[in-house]
Amino acid sequence: MPGLQHVATIAAPPERVWDVVADIERWPERIPTVDEVERLDAGPLAVGSRTRLRQPRLPEAVWTVTELTDGRSYTWESKSRGVTVVAAHLVEPHPEGSRLTLSLTVSGAMAGLGWLLTRKMTRQYVETEAASIKKVAEAS
C-alpha cells in the first residue's frame, strides 16, 4: 500500500501536544494546509466522529474516526471513488518532551494512480502539519 510516515520530536509534554492534535476545529488557524474544518457531530473526538475537511488543491473529504486512545492516538479514514485514505496521529512521551508520529496509507483500485499524482504534495502537507503542531505546542 502506498503511504508515508513522519516523526517529529516536540519540546512539550504529551498532554499539550495531544490537545493541539485533537483540537481539529482550530486546525485552519494553526495549520496552513487546512482551509476549513466542519465537525459533523457534537462532542469530543470519539470513534465514529465525522469531520469535513477542506484543503488546498485536494477534493473536500469527510473523515471518520475509526480508532481512538484518548490522550494518545486517533486514526481516521476518508473514502472516495476507488480510494481509501487512512491517517493516524500518535503522541508518545519522549526524553525531550513528546514524539509525534503522523502516518498515512492509501488503498483501493485508484490508489496507485492517486498516490502517483499527489505523493509529493501529501508529504509536504504532512510535514507542514507536524511542524505546525510542534510550533503551537512549544509556544504554549
Side-chain angles (χ1 to χ4, degrees):
M1 255 187 288
L4 60 87
Q5 180 175 322
H6 182 78
V7 178
T9 302
I10 301 175
E15 300 79 21
R16 177 63 190 138
V17 177
W18 175 255
D19 288 345
V20 177
V21 169
D23 189 2
I24 58 176
E25 291 92 342
R26 293 189 66 192
W27 281 12
E29 69 189 70
R30 294 174 164 172
I31 302 173
T33 59
V34 177
D35 289 333
E36 189 175 334
V37 169
E38 178 188 1
R39 286 289 307 273
L40 301 177
D41 41 47
L45 208 57
V47 171
S49 293
R50 296 174 58 236
T51 302
R52 184 180 326 278
L53 204 64
R54 291 181 185 91
Q55 296 182 270
R57 301 175 16 212
L58 289 174
E60 178 181 290
V62 174
W63 292 85
T64 303
V65 176
T66 57
E67 297 176 33
L68 181 126
T69 301
D70 195 33
R72 180 174 167 85
S73 68
Y74 73 91
T75 300
W76 60 4
E77 71 176 23
S78 176
K79 296 182 179 186
S80 61
R81 281 182 241 145
V83 178
T84 298
V85 181
V86 176
H89 309 74
L90 172 64
V91 179
E92 300 173 290
H94 185 275
E96 296 176 31
S98 302
R99 179 174 54 213
L100 172 66
T101 304
L102 302 177
S103 59
L104 185 133
T105 58
V106 184
S107 62
M110 298 300 292
L113 178 60
W115 186 246
L116 183 65
L117 297 173
T118 63
R119 175 181 52 214
K120 183 178 178 185
M121 180 183 65
T122 301
R123 180 171 301 285
Q124 290 171 342
Y125 278 19
V126 169
E127 290 172 357
T128 299
E129 181 180 333
S132 299
I133 292 167
K134 177 181 174 74
K135 180 180 177 183
V136 172
E138 290 181 346
S140 299

